[in-house]
Amino acid sequence: MLRLENLRKAFGSTVAVDGLSLTVRRGEVFGLLGPNGAGKSTTMAMAVGLLAPDSGRVLIGAGAGASPSDPSVRLGLGLAPQSLALYDELSGEENVTFFARLQGLSGRDLRGRVAAALELVGLGPRKGDRAKGYSGGMKRRLNLAAALVHDPPLLLLDEPTAGVDPQSRVGILDLVQSVAARGTTVVYTTHYMEEAQRLCERVAIMDLGKIIAIGTIEELIDAHGGGSVLTVRRNGGPATADERVTTTDPVRELTRVMTGPDAATIRGVTLDRPDLESVFLTLTGRRLRD
Amino acid sequence: MLSAAWTIATKDLKLLLRDPAAAFFTLVFPLGVAILFGSIFGGRGEQRQDLALAVWLGERTDAAERMARALESAKGLAVSRAESRAAGEEAVRKGRATALVVIPEGFGRAADLLFFRGAMRLEAVVDPARGAEAGLITGKLNELAFKQIASGITDPARSRALLAEARGQLATARFSDPLMGPTLGRLFDALDAVNAQTERAGAADGDVKGAGGGFSFQPVEVTVTELERRGSAGPRSGFELSFPQGVVWGLMGCAMGFAVSIASERAAGTLVRLTVAPLRRGTILLGKAMACFMACAIVQALLLTMGVLVFGVGVSSWPLMLAAVVCSSLAFVGVATLLAGLSPTEQGAGGMARAILIVLAMIGGGSVPMMFLPPWMQTASSISPFKWALLSFEGATFREYSAADMALPCGVLLAFGIGGWLVGVRGLTRQRAF
Ligand SMILES: Nc1ncnc2c1ncn2[C@@H]1O[C@H](COP(=O)(O)OP(=O)(O)OP(=O)(O)O)[C@@H](O)[C@H]1O
Ligand SMILES: [Mg+2]
């Protein structure tokens, strides 16, 4: 559906994307993860033809694919940019209608899809208000509605949950899941690992313009997550006295503890499986990014 | 392509109307300028000054020359000699002269024979738009011509020659009233005596108030000829000057708005969406251009409607007015594109556009009407597209241009439109605006 081949993009001396290749398959939800400045947005921009890569190429669609510099290829694209792209002085409905028209929609089809998109993001009751009066979360949702109103087969969402409350976040995640269930291919950028874990079949973790790991979440955890942590708490002991055991075989370790001589003193046992977050931190380190 | 461009254009107009400041400066402010300036200029655009006359001598006789001199020395008249009748008419058409005074062939002869052949004839060629002046000029000519006759009579030498001629005619003339011949003979004798007396008194200074009071006939016949159709005398009211100025300010507001339009879309992030939409780059520009064109046309239409319906601005030709509005709008689409290409940021494009447009509008007649600018400024202002927009608007109102006259300003405006567009698109491409 989307193939990026050896993309490279530099801004002056900053190399934003450095030899990146990946393939997104039809119908999957693909997560592009990475710390700030990793090059996620730059990759998205090249994928939709906004930026011309210094080298490498982008191919969209079935078979050999075609370049997004061709307008007819972009007909199948929906992009929700990281920075909101809305007209403040237009109402929510007018915004979505305008972008839908640019996609060639008109008449009843247009009206129907605009109404559906606004319903989908939960802006139906406020659709007549100017966008400048919307809260941050509402603007995010409107930004999303404008990207998917024409029901594109390939949807690219660049941090669609940035700056929204938990309710909006859950709403947006549900929405992405329902869109994906209809067969839409989604590329989803975020640095919230639990979002990726919930939505994505496959993820790529990138840092400093390069992909440092790619695969299904299970594969990444197995490869980079390290062992599970078994924590045993005993009666009368303070929390600081908890025993922690790191293991790659939590079941065997648990059996050993529960059948041991001090089993009667056990008050509780917790098993922490490694998750994407630990994979992420293992791979990208704990150093702060610009 | 067109429908997408139209979608962008109508969206831009909607945004313009929803931005109170932008809407004010594009639509309301120009109208305010037009009304305010029009009221300041008063009933007539020009300051009260000497009535400009062109004079053309159809014959080289002393009488004609004296008449011309009399015109030249008369108070309240600024007289220039025309080399030909056509040149004089052109001066009237262009508004350099209010009227052309034609001293026709046979004027001298008529002056000499005036006792028998009726009045001397003078012709005043005026612009139909300036009917009010025609009466004034007729009166002035009558007064001056009469003084000429009177001075002829009180100048003994001329008078004697004139009487001799008259006597000669008297000898051959036939009168229906048999008493007329002898009566006139006696009159001539009396006049001869007056001449002798005047000569002795040495009082031949030509101040002849009341002289000739005894002759009860109309000595000068001034015919007023109206120039055909395209007389471009001048504005009939201050509003005919100020509404073209309003157009200048309106066009300026539009060009300003659309010069920053692309930069604003970039700042708002919406340019990203436009660029990712399945449109050619040219379509986005075309949409912007259409919006600018429509805004320019709407401002002009608004000013024109108000001007014609409320402030008595007269349109000499609606087709030419349409041409003027279309060409001005196209010119400012080009100007806006050129300005947009100068800088990729809102502040940059806006600042530069403001500085450049204000200077161009000032020298182009936006603040002081073109006709009041010093001649060198009028020449220098040709670099300003505003001047040509203003001229084309005036051409379709009080200047009463013909289609041929309109070709120049419209051609220049189109050149500004095309040139600005080409340079602007190059600038935008270099900026990687898209
Ligand atoms: N237009 C630009 N001009 C100069 N440098 C740029 C530009 N766009 C991106 N960069 C640089 O390229 C690098 C990658 O930026 P990018 O926006 O792709 O990161 P990101 O992964 O999307 O980060 P974030 O999570 O903060 O959105 C950064 O170092 C950034 O400073
Ligand atoms: Mg980003």
Side-chain angles (χ1 to χ4, degrees), chain B residues 256-319:
Chain B
M256 198 97 93
F258 287 95
V260 298
S261 171
I262 288 175
S264 305
E265 296 251 15
R266 185 181 295 112
T270 45
L271 190 62
V272 165
R273 276 237 160 83
L274 296 185
T275 315
V276 175
L279 313 171
R280 290 180 198 291
R281 309 296 197 247
T283 306
I284 300 172
L285 260 184
L286 183 66
K288 295 280 165 196
M290 278 166 74
C292 184
F293 180 88
M294 287 193 284
C296 288
I298 288 170
V299 176
Q300 293 181 83
L302 186 74
L303 282 163
L304 198 58
T305 310
M306 287 298 280
V308 170
L309 294 184
V310 184
F311 294 96
V313 174
V315 173
S316 64
S317 157
W318 284 102

Side-chain angles (χ1 to χ4, degrees), chain A residues 48-50 69 71-72 74-75 77 79-81 83-87 89-91 94 98-99 101-103 130 142-144 146-147, chain B residues 3-5 7-9 11-12 14-15 18-20 265 267-281 288 432 434:
Chain A
V48 297
L50 264 177
S69 58
S72 66
R74 294 201 301 271
L75 192 56
L77 285 185
L79 170 72
S83 46
L84 296 168
L86 303 165
Y87 297 104
E89 295 300 332
L90 296 186
S91 70
E94 286 168 333
F98 172 70
F99 292 116
R101 274 190 207 282
L102 292 188
Q103 299 291 339
R130 302 254 173 112
L142 183 58
N143 200 44
L144 202 56
Chain B
S3 82
T7 302
I8 294 174
K11 181 267 299 170
D12 275 347
K14 201 183 269 181
L15 288 178
R18 291 203 180 161
D19 178 347
E265 296 251 15
T270 45
L271 190 62
V272 165
R273 276 237 160 83
L274 296 185
T275 315
V276 175
L279 313 171
R280 290 180 198 291
R281 309 296 197 247
K288 295 280 165 196
R432 300 182 173 282
F434 298 112

